[in-house]
Structure formats: structure tokens, C-alpha cells
Amino acid sequence: MIVSRRYRVTSRKGGFSAGVLVALMVGAGCGGAVAQSTDRLIAITDAVIFDGTGKEPYRGNVIVRDGRIENVGQNIPVPAGAKVIRAEGRAVLPGFFDVHTHWSPGGQPGTLPQIATAYITSGVTTVNDFHQAPEAFEPRRDWLKQIKGPHVNFVARMSTPGGHGADWADRNTTKWVATAQSARREVQALQPYRPDHIKAFADGWRYGNLPEETSMNLETLGALVDEAHKQGQRVLSHTVTVDRGKLAAQAGVDVIAHSLQDRPVDDETVALMRKAGTFYAPTLAIYEPTPGGDRIVPDLTEPVSRQRYRKWDYARQNLRVLYQAGVPIAVGTDAGIGGAKHGTSTLREMELMVDAGLPPAAALIAGTANSAKALGVIADRGTIEAGKRADLVVVTGAPWQNIGDVRNIHQVVIDGELVIDPRVKLPKANSETALAAVPAVQLIDDFERTDDRSALNTLRLADMDGGVERSTVVTNRVPRATGGSALSIAVQMSLKESPEGGVLIPLSRGSVRPVDARPYAGVRLEFRGEGPYQVVINTLKGEWTAELEGRPDWTEVRVPFSAFKPTPTRRSETQEWRGNDLVEVGVLVRRTAGATAWAEVDNLGFY
Ligand SMILES: [Zn+2]
């Protein structure tokens, strides 16, 4: 999550309703039943069941055993020993899905446990996370095991050189492909990380607000999809124009994960999507001109405002047309980007679908069974049927009549365990904002490994500056006269005002877990170069830099922590050095546009 230096932005707190937190805490204090471990046998009785199959809602019971729905229907007996949840006429629905989220540090909320909590308090039990570097999949999967949260699918990012989504972080975070051959290679290269799905940033149109970026051609996208399918993964595409919607359908993309909004969708595109079985997840929640449904009267004499409303009208109209034509609709939001909040945006998306003309029951099916089908997990979840995973939501009201009732979350069951309930207390790990720091070790990297990994077994990041125009960084291991090897860094500065380049070494896998370097005095390295450089430390709260003068001969350099200052060009959450939340250490170089620079580094560590 830290690899994007440019996007290391403040993670604001309080992204979800403080009221919910208070309710949970007050509930916890009542001394009621505490379900910390899996509830093995649950009976939800006297519920109105919306099972997601298209059947009319009916009154009945749901029996859950060992995480699965054992039985559901009218007049189903309650087994002895079951923990009974009396729904008292409330609605029970399959847990909601969000096929398009970004667990980004700049989102609302911005930290993993708080995001997880925001989803489950909104009844969202399965999400796709489009934001992580593959190196972070495993440590984040481990972290999620410690907390109550939704099922999180880790979706690997692929774009084109100069494409949307490739404009921040390094090439390990977002793969760049421009040919069928490179698309296949990179899908294969992702496999050791066990991605759940692939996101293809296939469309470079920037909504008419910014210059267009590159797009993925049909051959590349087709090969990417074919290779992903061979590996058992679905492909969701960032597609926002009608023409590229057509191309996505032709390429066999499984889910178009945004709205087509540059013009009305035409019959040919509709036919292609129908033929290909493309799902459509319009992410209206991110495009809504007045977020949250605020009744702000737009100034339509303003061109930007006029254009925004025109796209919004197309997005709504195209959803209606595609739905009426029988294209399956799924729910995604782009939450974590812009102002779209985690959890509540998913509920808002279903309201916006109804506002755009879908019947409420169709919006609910989009958020449950259809999204499960889109991700290929309908045999496992997405409906309330015997044998399915027990991911369930109990709400007050009848959301198939009044979609806004999805907000009246009363209880949430995930894998057969009651996780949201007035009597249930979430584990402490759900209220932490970071993993506990581990002690820093002295040696970060002696550059002896031949696989681009540090002595800490973390993957070195060639840190290129953000934006479409990017500096090029090439690193090599080079022999040292004294024996062993050092890292050689060569940078070709991009053609922009303040380019930069360098390398960053994560202190833990995927930069997820912080390290505590307080027993040490600073950063030590052996260095040679020419001109000014900077040593950089990324922490959970921001970026810190210290000046480093390059000399042509090898020099041992010790930079005390006191010499590090918050990088002025970056937003930082705090000006206070803590020393116990370090995630990356590296070397940066800044030169004029188009200039080249070099440096050699060895034996980087703490002293
Ligand atoms: Zn997105």
C-alpha cells in the first residue's frame, strides 16, 4: 500500500458513522452473548426471506450449521441446541457483494481493519480489492484472518504503458502490457501470488476532463482474458466508453466494472455484451454528481458541470437499456477512490440503480446472486439455498419494495458466524489501525541476492515518479573491488518539471507490517555517486527524507534519524517522528528533466 509515494496520503478517521461504533461498544458492554468463535448452529426464525433466486419473498426459517445453510423454507423445524435469532418479520437476504473497491490509504476509512468493519456493518460480505501490489496479498490475507471482515478477493492490476492505473507505483504493483505476448507473460508471472481475479485498465478515456491516456488494444486484452481464464481467474475491466465496452465484450472480459458514459449505448454493443455474457457493474456511486444524494442544485451554466450531468445521464440511461436488454447487472462502487466511502457506497449503489429505473428486487439481485455469478462463485454463495455459504443480512423493512431499507442493517452473518449484532463485540484487532510493529534488524540489504529481493526477502521497488510521464530506473547488481556486490542505480529523468527516480526497499513483505527502529540511531549505507541525493524513509504516516551528497569514491554514510524531515512536497499525516512505524527505506535522486543520474549503494541498514 505504500509503494505509491505520490498517493501516500492522509488516511482520515471516522469514515464510517461514529454512531455505529458507539452502538457496537455500548452493545459490547451489556454482557450479552459474545460470539468470538464460530457459531456452529444458528436458526433465524420468523424471517421474510429474499433468497436472491428471483422467487417472491416468503416467511420462513433459515438453519445454519458449520458455516453453511443447512435448510431454508416455510415451517422448517428449529434443531435442538440452535442459537435462535428471532427475526420477528424482518427481512433476511444473502450478504451483499461489491465487485469494485479500493482499500486505499487515502480512502474513507483508509486502514484495513476499519475498512473491513465498514463493510460488515453495511452487510457487505464479499468484496474485490483492486488496490494492492501482489507482494501485499499474502500479508494482507494473514491480517484479515485476525479480524472480522468480509471475504476479500485480491485482484491483480494490469494496464498499458502510460495507461490509467499505471500512473502511480512501480511495475510490480500494476503490470504494463501492450501486446498479446506480454499480456500472457504477465498474467503467468502473477500466478505465484494467487490472485483471485485480474483487473484490466483497458480504457484511457479520462471522462473528457483530462487528456486521454493509452488504452488496451483488442489483441492484448483478448490474450489477457484468455490467459486469466486458463489460470482460473475472471477479468474485470476499467471501461468507460461505449466503443471500448464493445471491445471489452469482444475480448471476453467477464465484468465491465464502470459505466459506459460517453454516449448512449448502441444496439451492436448491447448485442455483443449479451452474446459474450458480459456482466455490467456501473459504479454509479463514484459518478453521482451530488455524492450521497445531497440535493444540491447544480450550476448548469458551467461547462464542467454540464458535462458531468450529461455523462451521469448517459450512465443512468445506459444501465437501464442494458438491464432491459437482459445484460446481467452486478454491484460495484469504486469505494476508496474520491469521496466514495466503504460500505455505505455499496448500499447507495443499489439505491442509485433503482433511481435509474431498475426494480428494487433487481438491484438486490445485482448486489447478491448476479455479483456472485460475475465472480464465478454462485455455487458457493449469493443466494439463500441449502448448501450455500451462510453469508446473510437481516434488515428491518422490505427492501424489495423500498430499496432504502438495505440501510436498516440489524444483523450480519458471515460463514455462519454472527458478526454484527447488538450483543456481539468485534475483536480488538478490528479497532487497531496497523499491525503491531516487529523489531527492525540491522541489515536491510547487502545486495547479494540475485532475485531482486533484499536480505529481508522483500521485493525491491524501482520507485518512479507518478503521473503518465515517468522516469526510468534500471537497477543492477555490480561487483565491488572489496568482494561481493553492490546495487547500481541508473535513472533517466522524465520530461517534466520535477522528475525523480530511485529505489525503495520494503522492510516487510509488501510493506504491510511496520518495523520498530527505535533501538537504532539512524540509517547506514555505503554509497558513491555524483551530486545531491536523498535517503528516504516511508512510515505509516508519511514520507521522510534526509540529504546525501554523492562522491565518486565509496564512502560510509551514517544519517541519524534526527536528520530526516517530512518531505515538503508530500502530504504527511504528522510532523512527529515516531520511529516505530517504518515501512520502506531507499535512495532517491532528483535532477532536471531529461537528465541521467547514477549511484551505487551497498550494505544498507540501521546503526
Ligand atoms: Zn476503481
Side-chain angles (χ1 to χ4, degrees):
M1 76 187 190
I2 311 301
V3 283
S4 155
R5 299 177 54 249
R6 192 151 298 268
Y7 285 75
R8 274 287 301 138
V9 294
T10 309
S11 58
R12 272 160 303 219
K13 310 232 165 25
F16 60 91
S17 135
V20 170
L21 264 188
V22 169
L24 289 170
M25 287 164 173
V26 168
C30 302
V34 174
Q36 287 292 349
S37 58
T38 304
D39 304 305
R40 299 206 50 196
L41 184 58
I42 294 180
I44 304 175
T45 62
D46 195 22
V48 181
I49 299 161
F50 180 95
D51 67 9
T53 65
K55 197 164 153 181
E56 283 295 310
Y58 62 96
R59 224 167 170 106
N61 298 341
V62 186
I63 311 301
V64 172
R65 193 189 294 267
D66 294 333
R68 297 262 155 193
I69 297 165
E70 184 178 72
N71 208 349
V72 54
Q74 290 170 324
N75 309 316
I76 299 289
V78 175
K83 170 175 180 168
V84 176
I85 298 173
R86 287 182 191 84
E88 293 168 333
R90 292 192 183 88
V92 56
L93 301 98
F96 302 127
F97 282 64
D98 194 322
V99 305
H100 188 157
T101 78
H102 293 260
W103 292 39
S104 62
Q108 295 172 44
T111 41
L112 180 143
Q114 285 61 40
I115 297 171
T117 306
Y119 279 110
I120 62 175
T121 52
S122 294
V124 182
T125 55
T126 300
V127 306
N128 283 342
D129 180 4
F130 285 175
H131 213 73
Q132 309 311 320
E135 278 284 300
F137 290 178
E138 189 184 299
R140 290 177 76 98
R141 281 178 174 131
D142 287 344
W143 193 356
L144 284 162
K145 284 179 198 148
Q146 300 175 20
I147 63 176
K148 301 299 175 200
H151 304 289
V152 181
N153 296 318
F154 287 90
V155 180
R157 305 162 56 93
M158 293 180 72
S159 183
T160 46
H164 181 55
D167 44 13
W168 58 271
D170 73 321
R171 290 182 68 164
N172 294 304
T173 303
T174 308
K175 301 283 190 187
W176 305 356
V177 297
T179 63
Q181 192 183 19
S182 61
R184 285 189 192 280
R185 274 184 72 114
E186 293 293 48
V187 171
Q188 287 162 9
L190 285 165
Q191 295 311 308
Y193 294 105
R194 299 184 297 115
D196 293 295
H197 301 294
I198 309 278
K199 176 171 183 183
F201 292 84
D203 188 338
W205 190 58
R206 300 307 297 143
Y207 306 108
N209 306 332
L210 294 164
E212 185 153 349
E213 297 178 1
T214 58
S215 295
M216 208 176 279
N217 60 43
L218 180 60
E219 292 70 20
T220 305
L221 188 56
L224 186 160
V225 170
D226 184 61
E227 193 62 37
H229 286 175
K230 277 185 193 157
Q231 305 286 352
Q233 288 125 30
R234 301 269 162 138
V235 176
L236 303 98
S237 71
H238 173 106
T239 300
V240 288
T241 57
V242 172
D243 282 345
R244 296 203 181 105
K246 203 175 295 181
L247 185 138
Q250 285 168 328
V253 160
D254 299 285
V255 186
I256 290 177
H258 272 308
S259 281
L260 311 181
Q261 55 193 278
D262 61 325
R263 62 179 170 86
V265 72
D266 54 76
D267 292 346
E268 191 198 348
T269 307
V270 175
L272 279 168
M273 285 175 70
R274 283 207 54 168
K275 182 161 167 261
T278 319
F279 285 79
Y280 186 67
T283 66
L284 298 175
I286 192 74
Y287 297 125
E288 187 177 15
T290 53
D294 294 344
R295 299 261 174 260
I296 300 168
V297 180
D299 176 9
L300 293 177
T301 61
E302 233 236 309
V304 175
S305 189
R306 268 210 309 277
Q307 188 211 34
R308 180 182 303 152
Y309 277 86
R310 193 161 55 238
K311 286 180 293 190
W312 177 239
D313 285 343
Y314 289 147
R316 283 156 42 89
Q317 181 188 332
N318 288 343
L319 168 61
R320 198 161 51 239
V321 168
L322 290 167
Y323 166 73
Q324 281 163 358
V327 169
I329 308 301
V331 162
T333 58
D334 218 1
I337 300 292
K341 289 179 184 173
H342 292 290
T344 50
S345 293
T346 316
L347 305 177
R348 181 72 189 147
E349 182 73 16
M350 290 187 275
E351 292 175 339
L352 290 169
M353 285 180 166
V354 173
D355 204 47
L358 266 64
L364 294 173
I365 287 176
T368 56
N370 275 6
S371 291
K373 287 177 190 161
L375 301 182
V377 295
I378 189 65
D380 179 72
R381 66 189 98 152
T383 61
I384 306 180
E385 293 176 286
K388 293 276 170 90
R389 188 183 291 268
D391 292 350
L392 303 164
V393 182
V394 180
V395 305
T396 308
W400 48 88
Q401 286 162 1
N402 171 32
I403 192 67
D405 287 346
V406 290
R407 291 178 183 265
N408 305 332
I409 304 290
H410 193 69
Q411 278 139 330
V412 179
V413 172
I414 299 180
D415 282 339
E417 182 185 351
L418 189 60
V419 291
I420 297 297
D421 179 274
R423 295 162 299 174
V424 171
K425 185 183 187 232
L426 290 173
K428 189 167 167 283
N430 273 72
S431 50
E432 306 285 355
T433 55
L435 286 171
V438 291
V441 297
Q442 199 161 17
L443 178 68
I444 298 170
D445 205 352
D446 54 9
F447 306 100
E448 297 305 320
R449 287 180 65 142
T450 54
D451 58 359
D452 289 332
R453 288 188 173 270
S454 69
L456 302 171
N457 194 20
T458 60
L459 188 66
R460 194 155 56 234
L461 309 172
D463 181 62
M464 299 161 288
D465 46 358
V468 177
E469 178 75 21
R470 305 281 295 265
S471 298
T472 304
V473 179
V474 176
T475 62
N476 266 307
R477 282 172 67 250
V478 291
R480 277 193 72 173
T482 51
S485 57
L487 187 75
S488 145
I489 306 166
V491 186
Q492 166 84 58
M493 295 292 157
S494 65
L495 299 176
K496 65 184 180 197
E497 214 172 302
S498 320
E500 60 177 32
V503 297
L504 283 172
I505 298 168
L507 299 173
S508 66
R509 182 150 196 195
S511 308
V512 174
R513 186 186 282 277
V515 305
D516 184 351
R518 288 175 301 182
Y520 299 101
V523 174
R524 177 204 178 274
L525 65 162
E526 289 153 43
F527 191 77
R528 68 187 205 102
E530 208 175 342
Y533 298 82
Q534 288 176 319
V535 180
V536 57
I537 298 177
N538 279 324
T539 72
L540 289 179
K541 299 276 184 185
E543 183 190 290
W544 299 70
T545 42
E547 301 306 318
L548 171 67
E549 190 57 35
R551 299 172 209 275
D553 295 321
W554 280 104
T555 316
E556 187 194 319
V557 186
R558 284 167 187 254
V559 189
F561 290 134
S562 58
F564 285 86
K565 303 283 173 258
T567 311
T569 49
R570 314 254 185 245
R571 276 196 282 167
S572 182
E573 201 172 322
T574 174
Q575 301 288 304
E576 185 200 347
W577 174 260
R578 301 195 301 173
N580 64 349
D581 62 347
L582 279 56
V583 286
E584 290 158 354
V585 174
V587 172
L588 267 188
V589 52
R590 297 194 169 96
R591 298 286 185 270
T592 54
T596 56
W598 68 275
E600 289 182 11
V601 191
D602 202 3
N603 298 321
L604 174 68
F606 298 109
Y607 72 93

Short mmCIF file of all heavy atoms in Angstrom, two decimals, residues 261-305:
data_model
loop_
_atom_site.label_atom_id
_atom_site.label_comp_id
_atom_site.label_asym_id
_atom_site.label_seq_id
_atom_site.Cartn_x
_atom_site.Cartn_y
_atom_site.Cartn_z
N GLN A 261 -20.29 5.83 -20.53
CA GLN A 261 -20.95 7.12 -20.25
C GLN A 261 -20.59 8.23 -21.21
O GLN A 261 -20.87 9.40 -20.93
CB GLN A 261 -20.61 7.56 -18.82
CG GLN A 261 -19.11 7.63 -18.58
CD GLN A 261 -18.75 7.76 -17.13
OE1 GLN A 261 -18.77 8.84 -16.59
NE2 GLN A 261 -18.42 6.65 -16.49
N ASP A 262 -19.94 7.91 -22.34
CA ASP A 262 -19.63 8.99 -23.28
C ASP A 262 -20.76 9.24 -24.27
O ASP A 262 -20.80 10.28 -24.92
CB ASP A 262 -18.31 8.71 -24.03
CG ASP A 262 -18.37 7.43 -24.85
OD1 ASP A 262 -19.04 6.45 -24.40
OD2 ASP A 262 -17.77 7.39 -25.93
N ARG A 263 -21.66 8.28 -24.39
CA ARG A 263 -22.81 8.43 -25.29
C ARG A 263 -23.79 7.30 -25.03
O ARG A 263 -23.45 6.35 -24.31
CB ARG A 263 -22.36 8.45 -26.76
CG ARG A 263 -21.68 7.16 -27.23
CD ARG A 263 -21.30 7.30 -28.71
NE ARG A 263 -20.46 6.22 -29.19
CZ ARG A 263 -20.90 5.05 -29.65
NH1 ARG A 263 -22.21 4.79 -29.65
NH2 ARG A 263 -20.06 4.14 -30.09
N PRO A 264 -24.98 7.37 -25.63
CA PRO A 264 -25.93 6.26 -25.43
C PRO A 264 -25.36 4.98 -26.02
O PRO A 264 -24.75 4.99 -27.09
CB PRO A 264 -27.18 6.71 -26.19
CG PRO A 264 -27.03 8.19 -26.35
CD PRO A 264 -25.56 8.47 -26.43
N VAL A 265 -25.57 3.89 -25.33
CA VAL A 265 -25.09 2.59 -25.79
C VAL A 265 -25.89 2.20 -27.04
O VAL A 265 -27.08 2.48 -27.12
CB VAL A 265 -25.21 1.56 -24.64
CG1 VAL A 265 -26.64 1.19 -24.35
CG2 VAL A 265 -24.37 0.34 -24.89
N ASP A 266 -25.22 1.63 -28.05
CA ASP A 266 -25.92 1.29 -29.30
C ASP A 266 -26.29 -0.19 -29.33
O ASP A 266 -25.79 -1.00 -28.55
CB ASP A 266 -25.03 1.65 -30.50
CG ASP A 266 -23.67 1.02 -30.39
OD1 ASP A 266 -23.56 -0.20 -30.63
OD2 ASP A 266 -22.70 1.73 -30.02
N ASP A 267 -27.12 -0.55 -30.29
CA ASP A 267 -27.63 -1.93 -30.37
C ASP A 267 -26.52 -2.94 -30.56
O ASP A 267 -26.57 -4.04 -30.02
CB ASP A 267 -28.63 -2.05 -31.55
CG ASP A 267 -29.90 -1.27 -31.27
OD1 ASP A 267 -30.11 -0.87 -30.10
OD2 ASP A 267 -30.67 -1.04 -32.23
N GLU A 268 -25.50 -2.56 -31.33
CA GLU A 268 -24.42 -3.50 -31.60
C GLU A 268 -23.67 -3.85 -30.30
O GLU A 268 -23.36 -5.02 -30.05
CB GLU A 268 -23.45 -2.88 -32.62
CG GLU A 268 -22.44 -3.87 -33.16
CD GLU A 268 -21.24 -3.18 -33.81
OE1 GLU A 268 -21.29 -1.95 -34.06
OE2 GLU A 268 -20.24 -3.89 -34.04
N THR A 269 -23.42 -2.82 -29.48
CA THR A 269 -22.73 -3.06 -28.21
C THR A 269 -23.57 -3.93 -27.29
O THR A 269 -23.07 -4.87 -26.67
CB THR A 269 -22.40 -1.71 -27.52
OG1 THR A 269 -21.69 -0.89 -28.45
CG2 THR A 269 -21.56 -1.90 -26.28
N VAL A 270 -24.86 -3.61 -27.23
CA VAL A 270 -25.77 -4.41 -26.39
C VAL A 270 -25.74 -5.87 -26.84
O VAL A 270 -25.60 -6.79 -26.03
CB VAL A 270 -27.21 -3.86 -26.46
CG1 VAL A 270 -28.17 -4.76 -25.69
CG2 VAL A 270 -27.27 -2.43 -25.93
N ALA A 271 -25.80 -6.08 -28.16
CA ALA A 271 -25.83 -7.44 -28.70
C ALA A 271 -24.52 -8.16 -28.39
O ALA A 271 -24.52 -9.34 -28.01
CB ALA A 271 -26.07 -7.39 -30.20
N LEU A 272 -23.40 -7.45 -28.53
CA LEU A 272 -22.10 -8.07 -28.24
C LEU A 272 -21.99 -8.47 -26.77
O LEU A 272 -21.49 -9.54 -26.44
CB LEU A 272 -20.96 -7.10 -28.59
CG LEU A 272 -20.58 -7.02 -30.07
CD1 LEU A 272 -19.66 -5.83 -30.32
CD2 LEU A 272 -19.89 -8.32 -30.51
N MET A 273 -22.45 -7.59 -25.89
CA MET A 273 -22.37 -7.90 -24.45
C MET A 273 -23.27 -9.08 -24.12
O MET A 273 -22.90 -9.95 -23.33
CB MET A 273 -22.76 -6.66 -23.61
CG MET A 273 -21.66 -5.60 -23.59
SD MET A 273 -22.17 -4.08 -22.72
CE MET A 273 -22.24 -4.67 -21.02
N ARG A 274 -24.44 -9.10 -24.72
CA ARG A 274 -25.36 -10.22 -24.47
C ARG A 274 -24.75 -11.53 -24.95
O ARG A 274 -24.78 -12.54 -24.25
CB ARG A 274 -26.69 -9.98 -25.21
CG ARG A 274 -27.55 -8.97 -24.50
CD ARG A 274 -28.99 -9.24 -24.81
NE ARG A 274 -29.33 -10.63 -24.51
CZ ARG A 274 -30.54 -11.13 -24.46
NH1 ARG A 274 -31.57 -10.34 -24.70
NH2 ARG A 274 -30.76 -12.40 -24.19
N LYS A 275 -24.18 -11.49 -26.14
CA LYS A 275 -23.62 -12.71 -26.74
C LYS A 275 -22.45 -13.22 -25.88
O LYS A 275 -22.31 -14.41 -25.64
CB LYS A 275 -23.15 -12.38 -28.16
CG LYS A 275 -22.58 -13.56 -28.92
CD LYS A 275 -22.58 -13.30 -30.44
CE LYS A 275 -21.73 -14.34 -31.16
NZ LYS A 275 -20.38 -13.85 -31.48
N ALA A 276 -21.64 -12.27 -25.41
CA ALA A 276 -20.45 -12.66 -24.64
C ALA A 276 -20.78 -13.00 -23.18
O ALA A 276 -19.95 -13.55 -22.47
CB ALA A 276 -19.42 -11.54 -24.69
N GLY A 277 -21.98 -12.64 -22.74
CA GLY A 277 -22.34 -12.86 -21.34
C GLY A 277 -21.62 -11.90 -20.39
O GLY A 277 -21.35 -12.24 -19.23
N THR A 278 -21.32 -10.70 -20.89
CA THR A 278 -20.61 -9.71 -20.08
C THR A 278 -21.49 -9.19 -18.96
O THR A 278 -22.65 -8.82 -19.20
CB THR A 278 -20.19 -8.51 -20.96
OG1 THR A 278 -19.72 -9.00 -22.21
CG2 THR A 278 -19.13 -7.66 -20.28
N PHE A 279 -20.97 -9.15 -17.74
CA PHE A 279 -21.67 -8.51 -16.63
C PHE A 279 -21.33 -7.02 -16.64
O PHE A 279 -20.26 -6.61 -17.10
CB PHE A 279 -21.26 -9.12 -15.29
CG PHE A 279 -21.87 -10.48 -15.05
CD1 PHE A 279 -21.34 -11.61 -15.65
CD2 PHE A 279 -22.96 -10.63 -14.20
CE1 PHE A 279 -21.90 -12.87 -15.43
CE2 PHE A 279 -23.53 -11.88 -13.97
CZ PHE A 279 -22.99 -13.00 -14.59
N TYR A 280 -22.24 -6.23 -16.07
CA TYR A 280 -22.08 -4.78 -16.08
C TYR A 280 -22.25 -4.25 -14.66
O TYR A 280 -23.32 -4.39 -14.06
CB TYR A 280 -23.14 -4.18 -17.02
CG TYR A 280 -23.03 -2.70 -17.27
CD1 TYR A 280 -21.95 -2.16 -17.97
CD2 TYR A 280 -24.03 -1.83 -16.84
CE1 TYR A 280 -21.87 -0.79 -18.23
CE2 TYR A 280 -23.96 -0.46 -17.10
CZ TYR A 280 -22.88 0.04 -17.80
OH TYR A 280 -22.81 1.39 -18.06
N ALA A 281 -21.16 -3.68 -14.12
CA ALA A 281 -21.19 -3.11 -12.75
C ALA A 281 -20.93 -1.62 -12.87
O ALA A 281 -19.78 -1.18 -12.94
CB ALA A 281 -20.14 -3.79 -11.88
N PRO A 282 -21.98 -0.80 -12.92
CA PRO A 282 -21.83 0.60 -13.38
C PRO A 282 -21.18 1.58 -12.40
O PRO A 282 -20.91 2.71 -12.78
CB PRO A 282 -23.28 1.01 -13.67
CG PRO A 282 -24.13 0.13 -12.81
CD PRO A 282 -23.40 -1.18 -12.72
N THR A 283 -20.89 1.18 -11.18
CA THR A 283 -20.27 2.08 -10.18
C THR A 283 -20.87 3.49 -10.18
O THR A 283 -20.15 4.49 -10.19
CB THR A 283 -18.72 2.18 -10.33
OG1 THR A 283 -18.40 2.81 -11.57
CG2 THR A 283 -18.06 0.82 -10.26
N LEU A 284 -22.18 3.55 -10.14
CA LEU A 284 -22.85 4.86 -10.10
C LEU A 284 -22.42 5.65 -8.86
O LEU A 284 -22.37 6.88 -8.88
CB LEU A 284 -24.37 4.67 -10.08
CG LEU A 284 -24.97 3.98 -11.31
CD1 LEU A 284 -26.47 3.74 -11.10
CD2 LEU A 284 -24.76 4.80 -12.58
N ALA A 285 -22.08 4.94 -7.78
CA ALA A 285 -21.75 5.62 -6.52
C ALA A 285 -20.55 6.56 -6.67
O ALA A 285 -20.46 7.56 -5.95
CB ALA A 285 -21.47 4.59 -5.43
N ILE A 286 -19.63 6.24 -7.59
CA ILE A 286 -18.46 7.12 -7.75
C ILE A 286 -18.78 8.27 -8.71
O ILE A 286 -18.11 9.31 -8.69
CB ILE A 286 -17.20 6.33 -8.22
CG1 ILE A 286 -15.93 7.17 -8.10
CG2 ILE A 286 -17.35 5.83 -9.63
CD1 ILE A 286 -15.42 7.35 -6.70
N TYR A 287 -19.79 8.09 -9.54
CA TYR A 287 -20.09 9.11 -10.56
C TYR A 287 -21.18 10.07 -10.14
O TYR A 287 -21.38 11.10 -10.78
CB TYR A 287 -20.50 8.45 -11.88
CG TYR A 287 -19.40 7.61 -12.49
CD1 TYR A 287 -19.59 6.27 -12.80
CD2 TYR A 287 -18.15 8.18 -12.75
CE1 TYR A 287 -18.58 5.52 -13.37
CE2 TYR A 287 -17.14 7.42 -13.31
CZ TYR A 287 -17.36 6.09 -13.62
OH TYR A 287 -16.36 5.34 -14.16
N GLU A 288 -21.89 9.72 -9.10
CA GLU A 288 -23.01 10.57 -8.67
C GLU A 288 -22.53 12.01 -8.50
O GLU A 288 -21.62 12.27 -7.70
CB GLU A 288 -23.53 10.03 -7.33
CG GLU A 288 -24.76 10.69 -6.86
CD GLU A 288 -25.30 10.06 -5.56
OE1 GLU A 288 -24.57 9.31 -4.90
OE2 GLU A 288 -26.44 10.35 -5.24
N PRO A 289 -23.12 12.95 -9.22
CA PRO A 289 -22.60 14.33 -9.15
C PRO A 289 -22.79 14.96 -7.78
O PRO A 289 -22.03 15.83 -7.39
CB PRO A 289 -23.41 15.08 -10.20
CG PRO A 289 -24.09 14.05 -11.02
CD PRO A 289 -24.21 12.81 -10.18
N THR A 290 -23.79 14.52 -7.06
CA THR A 290 -24.03 15.06 -5.72
C THR A 290 -23.93 13.89 -4.75
O THR A 290 -24.93 13.24 -4.45
CB THR A 290 -25.42 15.70 -5.64
OG1 THR A 290 -26.38 14.73 -6.09
CG2 THR A 290 -25.52 16.93 -6.48
N PRO A 291 -22.72 13.60 -4.27
CA PRO A 291 -22.50 12.37 -3.51
C PRO A 291 -23.45 12.22 -2.33
O PRO A 291 -23.74 13.19 -1.63
CB PRO A 291 -21.06 12.51 -3.01
CG PRO A 291 -20.44 13.53 -3.90
CD PRO A 291 -21.54 14.43 -4.34
N GLY A 292 -23.93 10.99 -2.17
CA GLY A 292 -24.83 10.71 -1.06
C GLY A 292 -26.24 11.21 -1.30
O GLY A 292 -27.10 11.10 -0.44
N GLY A 293 -26.48 11.77 -2.49
CA GLY A 293 -27.83 12.20 -2.80
C GLY A 293 -28.17 13.59 -2.27
O GLY A 293 -29.33 13.95 -2.18
N ASP A 294 -27.13 14.36 -1.93
CA ASP A 294 -27.40 15.73 -1.46
C ASP A 294 -28.19 16.49 -2.52
O ASP A 294 -27.90 16.40 -3.70
CB ASP A 294 -26.07 16.48 -1.22
CG ASP A 294 -25.29 15.87 -0.09
OD1 ASP A 294 -25.89 15.09 0.68
OD2 ASP A 294 -24.08 16.15 0.00
N ARG A 295 -29.13 17.21 -2.07
CA ARG A 295 -29.95 17.97 -3.02
C ARG A 295 -29.29 19.31 -3.31
O ARG A 295 -29.73 20.34 -2.86
CB ARG A 295 -31.36 18.14 -2.48
CG ARG A 295 -32.08 16.83 -2.26
CD ARG A 295 -33.02 16.52 -3.43
NE ARG A 295 -33.60 15.19 -3.26
CZ ARG A 295 -33.15 14.11 -3.91
NH1 ARG A 295 -32.14 14.20 -4.75
NH2 ARG A 295 -33.71 12.94 -3.71
N ILE A 296 -28.18 19.24 -4.03
CA ILE A 296 -27.51 20.48 -4.42
C ILE A 296 -27.98 20.81 -5.83
O ILE A 296 -27.98 19.96 -6.71
CB ILE A 296 -25.98 20.30 -4.41
CG1 ILE A 296 -25.51 19.91 -3.01
CG2 ILE A 296 -25.28 21.56 -4.90
CD1 ILE A 296 -24.07 19.43 -2.96
N VAL A 297 -28.38 22.05 -6.03
CA VAL A 297 -28.81 22.43 -7.37
C VAL A 297 -27.56 22.82 -8.16
O VAL A 297 -26.83 23.73 -7.79
CB VAL A 297 -29.80 23.62 -7.30
CG1 VAL A 297 -30.25 24.00 -8.70
CG2 VAL A 297 -31.00 23.23 -6.43
N PRO A 298 -27.25 22.06 -9.23
CA PRO A 298 -26.04 22.34 -9.98
C PRO A 298 -26.16 23.63 -10.78
O PRO A 298 -27.26 24.00 -11.20
CB PRO A 298 -25.93 21.14 -10.92
CG PRO A 298 -27.33 20.68 -11.11
CD PRO A 298 -28.06 20.98 -9.83
N ASP A 299 -25.03 24.29 -10.99
CA ASP A 299 -25.00 25.46 -11.85
C ASP A 299 -24.73 24.97 -13.27
O ASP A 299 -23.59 24.75 -13.67
CB ASP A 299 -23.89 26.41 -11.38
CG ASP A 299 -23.76 27.60 -12.32
OD1 ASP A 299 -24.63 27.76 -13.21
OD2 ASP A 299 -22.78 28.37 -12.16
N LEU A 300 -25.79 24.80 -14.03
CA LEU A 300 -25.65 24.20 -15.36
C LEU A 300 -25.19 25.20 -16.42
O LEU A 300 -25.06 24.86 -17.59
CB LEU A 300 -26.95 23.50 -15.77
CG LEU A 300 -27.27 22.26 -14.91
CD1 LEU A 300 -28.59 21.64 -15.33
CD2 LEU A 300 -26.17 21.21 -14.99
N THR A 301 -24.92 26.44 -16.02
CA THR A 301 -24.31 27.37 -16.97
C THR A 301 -22.81 27.10 -17.05
O THR A 301 -22.13 27.58 -17.93
CB THR A 301 -24.53 28.84 -16.54
OG1 THR A 301 -23.90 29.01 -15.25
CG2 THR A 301 -26.01 29.18 -16.43
N GLU A 302 -22.32 26.31 -16.11
CA GLU A 302 -20.90 25.99 -16.04
C GLU A 302 -20.60 24.78 -16.91
O GLU A 302 -21.21 23.73 -16.74
CB GLU A 302 -20.58 25.66 -14.58
CG GLU A 302 -19.46 26.43 -14.01
CD GLU A 302 -18.43 25.48 -13.49
OE1 GLU A 302 -18.79 24.57 -12.71
OE2 GLU A 302 -17.28 25.62 -13.92
N PRO A 303 -19.65 24.87 -17.89
CA PRO A 303 -19.42 23.76 -18.82
C PRO A 303 -19.04 22.44 -18.14
O PRO A 303 -19.54 21.39 -18.51
CB PRO A 303 -18.26 24.24 -19.70
CG PRO A 303 -18.18 25.71 -19.51
CD PRO A 303 -18.80 26.04 -18.19
N VAL A 304 -18.17 22.49 -17.12
CA VAL A 304 -17.75 21.26 -16.45
C VAL A 304 -18.94 20.58 -15.80
O VAL A 304 -19.13 19.37 -15.87
CB VAL A 304 -16.65 21.55 -15.40
CG1 VAL A 304 -16.29 20.30 -14.62
CG2 VAL A 304 -15.41 22.13 -16.08
N SER A 305 -19.78 21.38 -15.17
CA SER A 305 -20.96 20.89 -14.51
C SER A 305 -21.93 20.29 -15.53
O SER A 305 -22.49 19.21 -15.34
CB SER A 305 -21.61 22.05 -13.76
OG SER A 305 -22.63 21.58 -12.96
#
